[in-house]
Amino acid sequence: MVADFSTLIADYSVWTEAYEVAITGDVQAIYDAVTYGVDSGTVFDAIMVTAGPLPNDLVWHYGGEGETGPGFLSPDQDRFLRQRVKEIPIGKYETVRGFVCYGDRLAMLAAGLMQPYETERALSIGHGGMPILVGLRSFDEARLEVLASAVSLEGLQYFQNAVPGMSNLEIADVTGASVGFLVWPPSRAGQVMLSRFAPAILLAFAGVLVLSFTTAWLFRQNLQRVIRGEASARRAAREDSLTRLPNRLAMMEWTADLDGGEGGPRRVLFIDLDRFKHINDIYGHSVGDQVIVEIAARLRGLCPPAGQVFRVGGDEFSLIVQQQDGDEPAGALAARIVEAVRGPVGTSAGVQRVDCSIGVAAGSDLRVPSEDLVRQADLAMLKVKRARAGGFCLYTPEIEAIAQRDRLRETELAKAIAAPGHFSIVYQPIVNARDSSLVRAEALARWPGSGMGPGEFIALAEASGQIVALGEVLLNQICADLARHPALEVALNISPLQLVNPAFRAVIEGCLVRHAVAPGRIEIEITEGVMVDDPALAAIKLQELRALGLSAAIDDFGIGYSSLGVVRQMPVNTLKIDGSFVRDKTEVDRNFEMIAGIARIGHAMDMKIVGEGVETEEEALRMIEAGCDHLQGYFFGRPMPIGDLMSSFVLRHDLPAGAEDGFSPAAPSLPEGRAALPHSSTRARTT
Ligand code: C2E
Ligand code: CA
Ligand code: CA
């Protein structure tokens, strides 16, 4: 029998015999009458017959004798029910339903008009002459349990107060007052779902009660919707909507399960796409999305059966495999992934190509939690990233040691930045190709005693978020030098992170003002990287600095990915061609041709061309031939203390009138018919 509790009440109340008995006022007889024929245990935990011709409420509690009021309703509930029941049209099998707290249990009640079958007779009796039957069914532990398992809400309980940390569904009585909480252990999404599905749960409770299994069955029908909702929210919280891959949260749960299970060795591959932001920025997010979806599909395709691919970040994936006998080594899998990712990706904006950096951690030691493997793979991936070469790297304890060393160094760096005097600045001359006169000097930072070269500690400062602070320290020292040497002009290296930092402009302005240095004496050098990552932002930032009066140069041009097209959009005065062009001795002629090409185009864009890394006279001559305006390199001078620079190069305004502004070598020796090259004696000592 599938019965609705309230139907039951309607059944019993609209029943001539029941009416006849009810008006006698014998509550035990009423109970027997209304439960007649039902032999499946308790039907009601309590009933109450009230109103109509009855002078007093008649109450009956399960296991007890019938008694005369007060009933189990609060005055408010009582008033409300009477009111509502009186609104039930005569001849209609309707009930008023609601929750109450019965003892310390949640109970459902239904109230109906006790009317005879015969409508005519009922009408003649009228609302006022008919008693109201209120039946109540409570949820004891056993019933709640049956219900809970039937609706798969394990651990469903009733409490009068909410339980922190659990899914709490507040239950209101007919008047809207709280009668307690249905409580169950939350799924992560449960709380969210609660607010959306609370009405459905309540409806489920209110709409369908009570006959134990029957009720449970009906509950299930209604609550399944809720459960399904929770399940889909659970899924949504664990799934990346773009690729349908499980996300980081899912990965954490997955690895926790792996660790708890019987499984053998695991491997973790951490895959990070290289310069993906570039695609997003240039072609828009929809093209970026197409690439991600395609890469996700490729990774899925390469994933061994006992593995799972996760999308753990915008352009980050991880692949976790439970190693089976005969599986290829993790390195081989990584290599195949590198190849697969590299393959052309068709998008609405044409074919795109992406590379990736992969870190691999192999967990043959089962005591290492998967979570640690993920971190190890991440560290190994970062190593690949830093090398900027793409490909993969297997985690070794050394990588961990380096990461640990870096953490120590970060602390050291922070201390050095906070206390004055730790850093020094050396200056490397940049000379005019025509006459070897000093155009400006590139300021290069040193951290004596740290055991780190500038490349290392600058990268460390960048990675640890200290580059802006370090930059300010260095800039102050450089401006102090500029103030002491009024004819000196410098090239100042700026990290991309400094350039895009909103406070950077104010820092520069502050330094210039503090040391009373004219902005025109500083040319900032910025590497290609920043222009590739966000060309529009780079252009804006450079323009801001130009507006302050500084000039700007693109540093290390030719080794990155920026094209002359991107350079054209940049408000820069100078293009510095990377020294690797000269260093590369495999294709000397071709390299100089390339330098010549870059120089031609750079000139067409009104830029000065600096050739870097000039170590020999021959290189200098070829650079000049290729069209470089300025030259820099060990041949002209190594980075040196400011004092050495000053004594090696004579201030131009010390020279006879008519000479150009700026510096010139102390004792220039101009080879005949050639561009000016300094005499070896003018070359400075090394630092
Ligand atoms: P960079 O800006 O390209 O600086 C030029 C680097 O090339 C310097 O290395 C310089 O010593 C080296 N160099 C100059 N001439 C020659 C040559 O003829 N042959 C060779 N093989 N090398 C030459 P350094 O001083 O070790 O600086 C390395 C990098 O560290 C710089 O590369 C720059 O990117 C960064 N850096 C140095 N100081 C600073 C700074 O104050 N701020 C920032 N953000 N970066 C800095
Ligand atoms: Ca530079
Ligand atoms: Ca450079």
Side-chain angles (χ1 to χ4, degrees):
M1 181 178 77
V2 177
D4 179 317
F5 178 60
S6 49
T7 321
L8 206 61
I9 284 288
D11 270 359
Y12 292 142
S13 56
V14 185
W15 189 9
T16 310
E17 285 80 350
Y19 168 73
E20 308 281 13
V21 179
I23 54 175
T24 66
D26 181 351
V27 72
Q28 190 63 53
I30 295 170
Y31 180 75
D32 289 341
V34 297
T35 61
Y36 175 80
V38 179
D39 51 10
S40 57
T42 318
V43 180
F44 301 114
D45 289 306
I47 63 167
M48 178 169 83
V49 189
T50 181
L54 302 176
N56 298 305
D57 295 347
L58 298 171
V59 184
W60 173 90
H61 295 276
Y62 182 68
E65 299 284 307
E67 50 194 71
T68 306
F72 37 74
L73 299 178
S74 73
D76 277 349
Q77 292 168 340
D78 196 83
R79 214 174 308 119
F80 184 89
L81 276 181
R82 276 165 205 266
Q83 181 56 40
R84 291 291 314 281
V85 172
K86 294 285 176 201
E87 288 163 9
I88 296 175
I90 287 173
K92 284 277 191 307
Y93 290 47
E94 277 176 23
T95 55
V96 177
R97 295 162 300 173
F99 291 102
V100 287
C101 182
Y102 179 67
D104 56 357
R105 293 180 195 156
L106 178 65
M108 175 89 207
L109 66 72
L113 212 44
M114 298 196 84
Q115 40 185 323
Y117 283 134
E118 306 85 340
T119 313
E120 219 134 281
R121 186 172 166 210
L123 281 170
S124 73
I125 299 167
H127 277 104
M130 290 188 281
I132 293 169
L133 173 66
V134 184
L136 178 148
R137 169 89 170 178
S138 75
F139 285 92
D140 58 15
E141 240 165 68
R143 283 178 196 152
L144 262 183
E145 211 170 286
V146 170
L147 187 68
S149 78
V151 299
S152 324
L153 272 185
E154 244 172 86
L156 183 71
Q157 279 180 285
Y158 168 74
F159 289 103
Q160 260 140 354
N161 295 305
V163 182
M166 303 281 278
S167 283
N168 291 289
L169 176 57
E170 188 167 22
I171 312 290
D173 73 2
V174 284
T175 69
S178 175
V179 291
F181 294 82
L182 281 173
V183 175
W184 66 89
S187 65
R188 277 190 184 77
Q191 289 300 339
V192 183
M193 297 316 300
L194 210 50
S195 55
R196 278 184 58 199
F197 284 91
I201 298 180
L202 283 180
L203 209 70
F205 269 85
V208 289
L209 247 124
V210 128
L211 301 177
S212 25
F213 286 101
T214 310
T215 312
W217 183 85
L218 283 165
F219 257 110
R220 185 161 53 198
Q221 297 298 301
N222 286 268
L223 274 175
Q224 240 156 20
R225 239 180 327 153
V226 178
I227 309 296
R228 266 200 298 275
E230 269 202 27
S232 80
R234 257 185 78 84
R235 215 179 314 114
R238 281 159 184 73
E239 189 182 272
D240 164 47
S241 57
L242 178 64
T243 59
R244 298 258 164 250
L245 285 175
N247 61 14
R248 188 179 281 274
L249 174 61
M251 177 181 76
M252 280 154 54
E253 290 178 354
W254 210 76
T255 51
D257 282 354
L258 269 192
D259 292 347
E262 293 285 284
R266 303 130 295 159
R267 297 134 161 196
V268 177
L269 280 72
F270 204 101
I271 304 148
D272 189 299
L273 303 186
D274 297 338
R275 299 191 317 110
F276 172 71
K277 196 174 172 299
H278 185 53
I279 293 180
N280 257 346
D281 288 349
I282 294 185
Y283 302 102
H285 285 262
S286 120
V287 174
D289 284 356
Q290 294 166 38
V291 172
I292 290 290
V293 167
E294 171 60 21
I295 299 295
R298 289 179 193 179
L299 292 178
R300 232 192 233 117
L302 288 172
C303 183
Q308 178 66 53
V309 181
F310 302 87
R311 184 181 183 200
V312 292
D315 58 355
E316 291 172 348
F317 299 87
S318 72
L319 195 158
I320 302 182
V321 195
Q322 261 191 299
Q323 197 171 322
Q324 315 287 86
D325 287 342
D327 272 1
E328 64 184 338
L333 176 61
R336 285 201 297 135
I337 291 176
V338 169
E339 277 315 303
V341 168
R342 198 170 274 166
V345 180
T347 71
S348 56
V351 171
Q352 304 294 332
R353 280 171 203 280
V354 273
D355 279 321
C356 66
S357 303
I358 303 181
V360 183
S364 5
D365 184 350
L366 294 178
R367 286 163 307 182
V368 178
S370 299
E371 201 188 332
D372 287 4
L373 291 181
V374 172
R375 202 178 41 80
Q376 292 176 355
D378 197 1
L379 281 178
M381 182 279 290
L382 287 174
K383 188 183 168 191
V384 182
K385 268 273 180 253
R386 268 198 294 271
R388 291 173 184 272
F392 69 93
C393 168
L394 294 170
Y395 170 83
T396 58
E398 227 163 78
I399 292 178
E400 179 90 66
I402 290 170
Q404 209 157 2
R405 188 201 64 193
D406 282 352
R407 277 193 292 278
L408 285 176
R409 285 176 159 186
E410 274 170 37
T411 322
E412 287 302 306
L413 180 63
K415 283 191 221 153
I417 291 172
H422 286 279
F423 302 98
S424 59
I425 305 288
V426 289
Y427 293 89
Q428 183 177 35
I430 299 171
V431 303
N432 198 319
R434 238 177 330 109
D435 57 7
S436 302
S437 62
L438 189 67
V439 177
R440 59 174 66 84
E442 176 167 2
L444 295 158
R446 295 291 179 264
W447 185 9
S450 68
M452 277 186 269
E456 274 176 292
F457 70 79
I458 296 288
L460 183 69
E462 286 178 340
S464 58
Q466 306 185 72
I467 187 64
V468 174
L470 173 61
E472 185 166 3
V473 169
L474 300 176
L475 182 61
N476 257 312
Q477 290 182 220
I478 293 165
C479 283
D481 283 341
L482 283 168
R484 274 192 294 272
H485 305 282
L488 176 67
E489 296 193 3
V490 299
L492 172 77
N493 290 287
I494 294 298
S495 150
L497 293 174
Q498 286 171 278
L499 184 72
V500 299
N501 188 291
F504 182 59
R505 208 184 83 152
V507 167
I508 287 225
E509 254 184 311
C511 275
L512 292 173
V513 169
R514 196 170 315 124
H515 298 277
V517 169
R521 295 170 63 195
I522 298 179
E523 177 160 281
I524 58 159
E525 291 192 1
I526 194 87
T527 53
E528 288 176 274
V530 63
M531 298 178 303
V532 174
D533 289 346
D534 195 338
L537 181 64
I540 291 169
K541 292 293 177 180
L542 285 172
Q543 196 53 61
E544 275 179 20
L545 295 175
R546 293 265 308 248
L548 283 183
L550 296 119
S551 63
I554 291 172
D555 200 1
D556 304 343
F557 184 78
I559 53 167
Y561 299 89
S562 66
S563 62
L564 281 161
V566 174
V567 169
R568 198 160 57 91
Q569 300 161 24
M570 294 295 143
V572 292
N573 317 69
T574 305
L575 198 59
K576 296 185 78 174
I577 300 175
D578 192 67
S580 57
F581 280 95
V582 209
R583 292 279 70 74
D584 175 18
K585 296 299 178 199
T586 54
E587 292 186 87
V588 179
D589 290 342
R590 224 189 107 222
N591 282 335
F592 279 109
E593 268 167 39
M594 277 174 70
I595 295 174
I598 295 170
R600 253 197 315 282
I601 298 169
H603 284 149
M605 294 189 270
D606 267 345
M607 292 176 184
K608 289 281 189 238
I609 308 298
V610 181
E612 289 190 279
V614 181
E615 291 185 357
T616 65
E617 182 164 4
E618 196 209 334
E619 284 166 7
L621 294 174
R622 292 205 69 168
M623 292 290 247
I624 294 166
E625 227 169 88
C628 292
D629 304 289
H630 304 151
L631 300 173
Q632 178 182 2
Y634 294 167
F635 181 65
F636 298 99
R638 294 202 169 224
M640 62 189 96
I642 183 87
D644 292 359
L645 182 82
M646 288 299 135
S647 54
S648 307
F649 291 84
V650 173
L651 287 173
R652 199 67 207 212
H653 52 71
D654 292 343
L655 293 177
E660 288 171 31
D661 284 347
F663 291 90
S664 79
S669 136
L670 309 180
E672 257 176 50
R674 294 267 187 199
L677 290 174
H679 189 270
S680 57
S681 69
T682 67
R683 264 177 263 142
R685 291 186 302 278
T686 61
T687 53

